[in-house]
Amino acid sequence: MSAGMRPVRYGIVGCGIIAEVHASEIAKLPEAELVAICDVNPDQAARFAAQYGAAAYSDLDEILARQDIEVVSICTPSGLHEEQVVRAARAGKHILVEKPMAIQMEGVERMIKACEKAGVLLATVFPRRMSPQAQYAKQLIASGALGKLSLCSAYVKIYRSQAYYDSAGWRGTWAMDGGGAMMNQGIHTVDMLQWLAGPVASIEGRARNVLRDIEVEDTVTSLLQYESGAMGVLEITTTAYKGKGQRLELYGEKGTLIIEEDDIVMLELDGAESKLPEFAPFAVIPDGHREQIRDLAYAVREGRAPVVPGTEGRHSLEIILGTYASSRLKQEIKLKEHFSLV
C-alpha cells in the first residue's frame, strides 16, 4: 500500500458463495477494509458479518446510506445486478459487480450511464484476465508476434449436475440467471477469447437444453466471425462428465498459442517452440478477485479507471446474447446491427 493511503472501505451485497471470496480477499488486503454486509436474509447477513467483524443489514438502502462505505461489491444473482448497481451509483458508491454485469444489453447500458452520471467508478469481475499467463498472452498478441490471426476458438467442457441447478431457485432460470452454460459458466472464457482475439462481428449459434431440467441451455455451439477477418468456434457445455475445463486456441500467420485452464501449454512462433518465462503461482479464485479488489481500491484513491471497467462487460454479453438470438431466430446475427436496434 502506498505510504499514507487510507484503506478503501467496502460493503458487500449478497451472501452467496462468491461473496465469501470477496470478503476473504478484502480481509487480506491492507488497501481495503470490509465494514458492512447486506443480504435479504437477516440471519445469513448476521452470520456472515460476524465472521468478518462487519455490520449486518437486510435492506440495501440502509447499507447504501452509510457515508463511510466507498465501494460496494455486488454478489447477488445476475438478474438483480442492474437495479442494485443503479441504486448504488445514485448513492455515490463506487461499484465492483460480479459477472455477468446484467442479463440484457439495455441493463448494461443503464448501469454504465448511471455510474457516469453519478461520477463513480464501475468495475466488473473477470479474474482470468489477472493471471500472469493471460497478461503475457495479451501483450504477445498485441505485439504482433502471432501475426494476422486466422482461427481463434474456445471450448468450455465442464459438469454441473441436476442437483447443482436444484440447489438454488434462481439457477438455470432466464429471470435470475439470464442464461445457462454460456452465461453463467462460459462467460469468463468468452471474455478471454474476445479480449485476446479481438471484437466479434457476427455469430451463428445454437443453444439447447439437452440433458438438464432447466429453463436455459446446457449446451452451446457458435460460429464466430471477427472484425479482423479471423474465424472461430465456441463450444460450451455443463454436461461434460469428467470434462477438461477451459481451452483457448489462437492461430495466426506466424504462430500458435494454446491455453488450457490458465496455463499456456503451447507457444510456437515462426515454426519453433518458444521458451516461456517463469510465471508466479496464480489461482483465478481467489487471486484474480484479490487483484481486482486491490486495483479498484487504488483506482478510487488515484482517480483513475479500474483495470476492467464496466464498459468491458459489454463485449462478452454481446457474444452470449447474440448467440441466443441467433439460435432463436435460426440466422446469423451481426452484432452491431442487432444491438443498435435493442
Side-chain angles (χ1 to χ4, degrees), residues 230-252:
M231 299 176 67
V233 173
L234 273 169
E235 292 183 10
I236 301 173
T237 187
T238 51
T239 68
Y241 184 65
K242 295 187 177 179
K244 299 298 184 181
Q246 170 187 271
R247 181 179 172 92
L248 294 161
E249 298 181 359
L250 294 96
Y251 300 94

Side-chain angles (χ1 to χ4, degrees), residues 19-310:
E20 291 279 0
V21 177
H22 284 245
S24 64
E25 298 315 299
I26 290 170
K28 293 174 185 175
L29 291 171
E31 297 91 350
E33 179 184 358
L34 180 59
V35 297
I37 300 290
C38 180
D39 193 274
V40 291
N41 183 326
D43 293 337
Q44 189 168 345
R47 286 194 299 270
F48 197 108
Q51 182 180 350
Y52 291 97
Y57 299 91
S58 58
D59 186 318
L60 180 61
D61 288 333
E62 290 182 353
I63 190 172
L64 294 179
R66 283 191 53 161
Q67 296 299 308
D68 60 330
I69 293 175
E70 299 170 90
V71 176
V72 290
S73 285
I74 304 295
C75 300
T76 51
S78 307
L80 299 176
H81 291 177
E82 178 186 345
E83 284 303 322
Q84 291 173 340
V85 167
V86 170
R87 288 166 67 183
R90 289 172 177 167
K93 310 303 182 188
H94 304 290
I95 299 154
L96 179 64
V97 59
E98 271 291 340
K99 59 78 188 170
M101 282 178 60
I103 59 176
Q104 296 294 339
M105 288 306 302
E106 300 97 325
V108 172
E109 297 303 328
R110 184 170 173 238
M111 293 156 73
I112 292 170
K113 289 177 182 176
C115 291
E116 289 176 347
K117 183 177 180 180
V120 297
L121 300 178
L122 175 62
T124 188
V125 179
F126 283 116
R128 288 191 184 275
R129 292 194 187 192
M130 301 298 104
S131 78
Q133 292 91 332
Q135 294 291 321
Y136 179 83
K138 178 69 171 177
Q139 293 170 10
L140 185 80
I141 294 167
S143 75
L146 293 184
K148 181 176 173 58
L149 297 176
S150 58
L151 183 66
C152 302
S153 301
Y155 310 90
V156 183
K157 299 178 181 180
I158 58 177
Y159 185 79
R160 294 291 185 269
S161 67
Q162 186 64 46
Y164 164 83
Y165 291 105
D166 294 341
S167 67
W170 65 275
R171 293 192 189 280
T173 66
W174 287 113
M176 286 292 113
D177 223 353
M182 196 175 198
M183 181 71 85
N184 196 315
Q185 285 78 29
I187 189 169
H188 290 293
T189 308
V190 173
D191 175 69
M192 281 290 292
L193 182 63
Q194 67 82 28
W195 185 57
L196 293 174
V200 172
S202 67
I203 289 174
E204 189 168 352
R206 295 294 180 268
R208 298 282 185 270
N209 177 347
V210 180
L211 295 180
R212 299 289 172 253
D213 183 18
I214 52 178
E215 295 178 5
V216 295
E217 86 288 350
D218 59 24
T219 303
V220 172
T221 60
S222 237
L223 300 177
L224 308 178
Q225 179 75 48
Y226 294 89
E227 290 182 7
S228 67
M231 299 176 67
V233 173
L234 273 169
E235 292 183 10
I236 301 173
T237 187
T238 51
T239 68
Y241 184 65
K242 295 187 177 179
K244 299 298 184 181
Q246 170 187 271
R247 181 179 172 92
L248 294 161
E249 298 181 359
L250 294 96
Y251 300 94
E253 60 184 336
K254 297 181 183 178
T256 297
L257 172 67
I258 298 178
I259 301 172
E260 290 184 353
E261 290 301 284
D262 297 288
D263 293 324
I264 297 173
V265 298
M266 177 185 289
L267 176 60
E268 282 199 7
L269 300 174
D270 295 320
E273 187 171 347
S274 295
K275 182 176 176 58
L276 294 167
E278 289 289 331
F279 296 113
F282 185 92
V284 168
I285 298 178
D287 297 343
H289 283 76
R290 184 174 62 254
E291 291 309 309
Q292 285 205 247
I293 291 166
R294 189 205 312 269
D295 171 76
L296 183 54
Y298 277 106
V300 168
R301 290 288 178 260
E302 295 169 359
R304 61 166 173 83
V307 66
V308 188

